[in-house]
Amino acid sequence: MSLMKSNQKKGNDWQTLKRVIKLALPFKNLFFLSLGLGILVSIVTPLRPYIIQLTVDNNIIKQNGKGLEMMGLILLLTLVTEFLVKYLFGLHSTKLGQTIMLDLRTKLFNHVQTMRLKFFDKTPVGIITTRTINDIEAINNIFSEGIINIVADVLTLIIVIGFMLFINWKLALVCLTTFPIIIYATYVFKEKVRLSFNDVREKVAQLNAFVQEHISGMRIVQIFNAQEKEYKKFEKLNHEHFVANDKSVLYYSIFFPTVEVILALAISLLVWYGATQVMNNVATVGIFTSFILYLNMAFRPLRMLADKFNTLQMGIIASERVFKLIDTNDKIEDNGKLAPKKINGNIEFKHVWFAYNHDNFVLKDISFQVEAGKTLAIVGATGSGKSSTINILNRFYEINKGEILIDNINAKDYSLTALRSYIGTVLQDVFLFSGSIYENISLKNPNITKVQVIEASKLVGAHNFIMELPNNYDYNVMERGATLSVGQRQLIAFIRVLVYDPQILILDEATSSVDTESEILIQNAIQKLVSGRTSIVIAHRLSTVQNADKIMVLDKGEIKEIGTHNELIQLENGYYKRLHEMQFQSAEFA
């Protein structure tokens, strides 16, 4: 059973390696140039000991000064050639790895951007970060330090052994008797380090996920005074990472001295048997000298091969993870062809059912209509399905049953890019990127000018507070807009939507977390935003939606009531009336 698993694993490794090599196809000229230079390195390098052998035997022993000058010049040219070839090989193999890494990382990030939100709901950000940064770096090492270097080292080893056998096969066989030992030691080392490196990669991914999550949620950690508990969790993860690394360090500290001892043993055999041959005139001093160099050349690739095989193995393991992410087809289908520049903005839900997980429906048989230019307010208790309604309108999630129509056309018939360009959304938790206010509003869209941004800011009443900030519109808001208040971030989100000029506007709890002064500003901004646009407004505060053309009440994923504020407030034992009375009583009590 274990043998079958082992064979299957090796088969998978080969399949992965083939796929990795295919990554070099767009850069095949660079790949073959690197491979050719690697082969040239393996040919040029073993020439040096042979030249030294001829120099010793034909010139130094025979005291041939003229010949010694010539051989010295040849040796110098060989060294210069070896240097240039190795330099070019290192340069181009590294460039190949970097080029492939650049291309793959860009493709992976682009792929991640197309994933549906459900994927991000179940995948920690730290894991995606590890795949995009660390694992692709390991794939880079396959080309810059792995596969081509292994080919060059193996070929160098074969040519070196070939030279030794050609020069003196008996002496060569005596010296090479230690090779089975070093090959076995290399294999054991490779397997042990492979397992430890795999463990290291897992621990790095866990650390990245933990740090990402806890830095993002540091406010909660400090609010609940949980620093000590979280510190202990991190300390445990960090220690596991240390232990995994410590194992690989142990294997290296054993392997490299072992190689040196075996090399010393091989040289001892050379001295014992080679000296006897020299004294018996079977071998020359030049051969003896060259064999010392050849043994060092033979052991160097063997010493490095184990490390390079592990680099290759780690790259294959990382590749499997990256390819698994690339092969994850968790995307919204984008088969729509319609992309009109403008739409009227009629929205209709027809018997829509939706579940995040299988049949656990959060929306059940939802049917309603919003006429172009009108405003629909959605209210209800937490978990009633309000946010789910707007998520499926944007097609962040796919519905299970029913239809969503925009201008009497199924939303799936529009291209995804076009559909989302028609809809502007302001969420309760506004996300701002590191950068200036202007960049956060325009999202670096070259078609949006600073003049447009300033006009939109004045329209929503945000221009004054922006002008009071250092550097005004060039003020750096830092990550997630931490240096701005909730209300200020909300106003920036309104400006962002306004400059993109969508035909449909969605406001999700836009005033639920702001103070009274900010709420007044935001309410004024909302009035400007909804004017002439089809709008869906989700709110907990019923006072903010009383002027909506229609109010829809959701409860446990079902529509309970639809009507105007005046109509719903008059319904005996109505859901809206009860919600309104509860909020009114809470306000009176406060």
Side-chain angles (χ1 to χ4, degrees):
M1 184 69 178
S2 60
L3 182 61
M4 288 175 65
K5 284 183 179 178
S6 177
N7 290 334
Q8 187 179 6
K9 181 71 173 69
K10 288 178 181 177
N12 291 339
D13 285 353
W14 276 112
Q15 292 300 319
T16 303
L17 184 58
K18 286 178 185 176
R19 190 170 176 184
V20 169
I21 293 172
K22 285 181 181 178
L23 295 173
L25 286 178
F27 320 102
K28 58 184 178 183
N29 291 339
L30 189 56
F31 176 79
F32 285 117
L33 177 61
S34 301
L35 186 60
L37 287 167
I39 293 170
L40 196 56
V41 165
S42 64
I43 294 171
V44 172
T45 302
L47 289 175
R48 184 161 33 92
Y50 187 66
I51 293 170
I52 290 173
Q53 175 197 329
L54 295 177
T55 304
V56 171
D57 288 341
N58 298 333
N59 298 287
I60 296 176
I61 298 296
K62 295 180 180 180
Q63 298 184 356
N64 182 0
K66 243 183 174 182
L68 185 61
E69 288 178 7
M70 178 61 70
M71 293 305 292
L73 184 60
I74 292 171
L75 182 60
L76 179 61
L77 288 172
T78 305
L79 286 170
V80 170
T81 303
E82 186 180 342
F83 166 78
L84 287 174
V85 172
K86 285 184 175 178
Y87 162 72
L88 291 171
F89 172 61
L91 178 68
H92 287 91
S93 61
T94 303
K95 185 178 179 181
L96 175 65
Q98 289 290 327
T99 305
I100 291 170
M101 181 175 67
L102 172 68
D103 183 64
L104 182 60
R105 188 170 281 159
T106 303
K107 286 178 179 175
L108 181 62
F109 182 76
N110 186 52
H111 173 74
V112 168
Q113 285 192 115
T114 65
M115 306 293 269
R116 68 179 81 197
L117 291 185
K118 188 176 181 180
F119 169 80
F120 299 99
D121 292 341
K122 60 186 181 183
T123 307
V125 174
I127 297 295
I128 300 173
T129 303
T130 302
R131 299 292 172 267
T132 310
I133 307 299
N134 302 66
D135 286 340
I136 289 183
E137 186 71 44
I139 295 174
N140 160 43
N141 293 337
I142 289 179
F143 294 96
S144 61
E145 301 175 21
I147 189 166
I148 299 177
N149 282 272
I150 289 172
V151 170
D153 283 345
V154 169
L155 195 55
T156 299
L157 183 60
I158 292 170
I159 293 174
V160 165
I161 292 174
F163 264 93
M164 293 172 71
L165 291 170
F166 172 74
I167 294 168
N168 189 321
W169 66 271
K170 288 183 180 179
L171 185 58
L173 290 177
V174 170
C175 295
L176 296 175
T177 52
T178 58
F179 260 48
I181 304 172
I182 187 66
I183 289 170
Y184 176 73
T186 300
Y187 174 76
V188 172
F189 169 74
K190 179 181 76 70
E191 291 299 307
K192 293 291 184 183
V193 172
R194 180 180 66 82
L195 293 172
S196 67
F197 275 8
N198 192 24
D199 197 22
V200 168
R201 290 278 178 197
E202 291 293 339
K203 300 308 177 188
V204 166
Q206 291 175 19
L207 274 173
N208 281 342
F210 185 90
V211 171
Q212 169 76 32
E213 184 178 29
H214 282 72
I215 287 177
S216 299
M218 188 56 67
R219 185 186 296 260
I220 302 300
V221 172
Q222 293 184 356
I223 285 173
F224 289 93
N225 201 26
Q227 293 96 321
E228 185 65 27
K229 184 174 67 175
E230 299 307 320
Y231 166 75
K232 287 179 180 177
K233 287 181 186 177
F234 178 79
E235 188 178 39
K236 182 175 180 292
L237 276 175
N238 200 28
H239 185 262
E240 288 173 356
H241 178 254
F242 166 78
V243 170
N245 268 299
D246 197 42
K247 284 182 181 178
S248 64
V249 171
L250 174 65
Y251 297 140
Y252 274 98
S253 63
I254 293 172
F255 176 70
F256 285 121
T258 301
V259 173
E260 294 300 325
V261 169
I262 296 171
L263 173 60
L265 178 60
I267 292 176
S268 299
L269 290 171
L270 169 64
V271 171
W272 165 69
Y273 191 75
T276 304
Q277 283 201 326
V278 170
M279 287 186 290
N280 292 331
N281 294 320
V282 177
T284 65
V285 175
I287 291 174
F288 185 82
T289 305
S290 68
F291 263 61
I292 293 174
L293 296 174
Y294 278 131
L295 279 175
N296 278 284
M297 282 186 178
F299 272 80
R300 188 200 65 81
L302 279 173
R303 186 169 54 230
M304 301 309 294
L305 269 173
D307 203 26
K308 287 169 183 174
F309 268 118
N310 282 315
T311 297
L312 181 62
Q313 187 67 46
M314 290 307 101
I316 289 172
I317 292 169
S319 302
E320 287 175 353
R321 293 171 180 160
V322 171
F323 291 147
K324 185 178 180 181
L325 181 54
I326 289 175
D327 294 338
T328 302
N329 192 26
D330 203 358
K331 299 180 182 179
I332 296 288
E333 289 184 12
D334 189 11
N335 300 321
K337 303 297 181 185
L338 295 177
K341 288 186 178 180
K342 291 283 183 181
I343 59 170
N344 294 323
N346 287 297
I347 300 171
E348 185 176 3
F349 277 51
K350 282 187 172 182
H351 306 290
V352 171
W353 293 72
F354 169 67
Y356 288 102
N357 297 303
H358 305 298
D359 295 330
N360 186 19
F361 289 103
V362 294
L363 293 176
K364 306 166 187 175
D365 198 23
I366 299 294
S367 295
F368 65 86
Q369 186 172 1
V370 189
E371 295 177 10
K374 300 293 185 179
T375 299
L376 170 71
I378 304 177
V379 300
T382 301
S384 59
K386 302 187 299 296
S387 295
S388 298
T389 305
I390 61 172
N391 282 333
I392 59 177
L393 178 60
N394 275 293
R395 290 195 68 202
F396 293 135
Y397 299 87
E398 289 284 33
I399 60 177
N400 299 71
K401 291 185 280 187
E403 278 187 308
I404 298 175
L405 306 178
I406 295 178
D407 288 353
N408 298 316
I409 298 170
N410 194 308
K412 292 182 179 181
D413 293 335
Y414 293 95
S415 75
L416 204 55
T417 302
L419 175 68
R420 291 178 180 171
S421 71
Y422 306 142
I423 303 172
T425 305
V426 180
L427 300 173
Q428 176 186 356
D429 183 18
V430 176
F431 191 97
L432 298 181
F433 297 93
S434 296
S436 69
I437 287 179
Y438 169 65
E439 289 171 340
N440 268 282
I441 293 170
S442 67
L443 297 178
K444 298 187 178 180
N445 185 335
N447 297 321
I448 296 175
T449 65
K450 204 162 191 175
V451 173
Q452 289 175 287
V453 170
I454 293 172
E455 287 177 358
S457 301
K458 289 178 178 177
L459 191 62
V460 300
H463 180 70
N464 290 337
F465 100 76
I466 294 174
M467 293 304 294
E468 290 173 0
L469 295 170
N471 300 321
N472 314 131
Y473 285 88
D474 293 321
Y475 175 71
N476 192 337
V477 302
M478 305 304 290
E479 187 175 2
R480 298 183 70 87
T483 55
L484 299 175
S485 71
V486 175
Q488 289 171 333
R489 293 200 296 269
Q490 204 78 23
L491 286 169
I492 289 173
F494 284 132
I495 304 168
R496 182 193 286 170
V497 168
L498 189 59
V499 294
Y500 275 85
D501 193 24
Q503 284 83 59
I504 298 172
L505 179 68
I506 294 173
L507 304 177
D508 186 4
E509 309 284 6
T511 61
S512 63
S513 303
V514 297
D515 54 66
T516 305
E517 184 180 349
S518 297
E519 184 179 352
I520 294 170
L521 279 174
I522 289 171
Q523 285 299 334
N524 290 332
I526 289 173
Q527 294 304 316
K528 303 282 177 61
L529 280 170
V530 300
S531 178
R533 291 183 173 86
T534 307
S535 304
I536 297 178
V537 181
I538 295 175
H540 276 303
R541 298 182 187 179
L542 301 186
S543 58
T544 63
V545 298
Q546 291 181 9
N547 295 324
D549 296 297
K550 278 186 181 180
I551 299 173
M552 180 171 74
V553 183
L554 288 178
D555 183 57
K556 297 178 181 178
E558 298 177 346
I559 297 176
K560 296 300 181 181
E561 298 165 354
I562 295 182
T564 64
H565 169 75
N566 291 331
E567 290 171 348
L568 296 180
I569 206 72
Q570 293 174 10
L571 293 176
E572 285 294 327
N573 298 319
Y575 282 81
Y576 182 79
K577 185 177 181 179
R578 287 206 303 272
L579 286 171
H580 190 270
E581 287 174 350
M582 286 171 62
Q583 287 199 8
F584 179 77
Q585 289 172 0
S586 298
E588 286 290 319
F589 181 75

